């Protein structure tokens, strides 16, 4: 069973991986600098695709903030991906 992906769910997923409070993860924080390595990013990409988000690891690897990841998802949804 998948739950619709929202910006806040993404924030919560990232915070859980980093053992941080979701309110401490800002839209423009560099997630790599916060400790989100490539294996964790791959895990998030898989989790979010399973939730229906049109996102690939390669796209996520090209940008480093939650806001940018959310923009990728919104753009892909608008393009009917």
């Amino acid at each position: 069973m998948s739950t619709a992906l929202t910006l806040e769910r993404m924030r919560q997923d990232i915070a859980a991986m980093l053992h941080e409070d979701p309110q401490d993860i800002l839209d423009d924080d560099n997630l790599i600098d916060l400790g989100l390595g490539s294996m964790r990013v791959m895990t998030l990409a898989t989790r979010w695709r399973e939730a229906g988000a049109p996102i690939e690891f390669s796209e996520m690897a090209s940008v480093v903030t939650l806001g940018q990841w959310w923009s990728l998802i919104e753009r892909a949804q608008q393009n009917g991906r």
Side-chain angles (χ1 to χ4, degrees):
M1 177 168 116
S2 67
T3 304
L5 188 66
T6 63
L7 177 61
E8 289 313 308
R9 178 173 168 201
M10 291 173 68
R11 186 182 320 279
Q12 291 170 358
D13 289 346
I14 292 165
M17 282 199 160
L18 296 174
H19 306 287
E20 297 288 339
D21 192 301
Q23 71 186 26
D24 293 334
I25 307 296
L26 305 178
D27 291 357
D28 60 351
D29 283 343
N30 183 319
L31 300 172
I32 306 308
D33 288 349
L34 294 179
L36 200 65
S38 61
M39 293 302 292
R40 288 177 170 171
V41 174
M42 282 189 250
T43 299
L44 289 169
T46 299
R47 180 181 301 169
W48 295 341
R49 272 195 314 279
E50 290 171 355
I55 190 86
E56 296 293 332
F57 168 74
S58 59
E59 296 171 307
M60 293 173 68
S62 68
V63 294
V64 297
T65 71
L66 173 57
Q68 290 170 319
W69 287 352
W70 182 244
S71 292
L72 288 171
I73 290 171
E74 286 184 314
R75 190 171 29 252
Q77 288 173 334
Q78 289 170 356
N79 292 332
R81 222 173 81 192

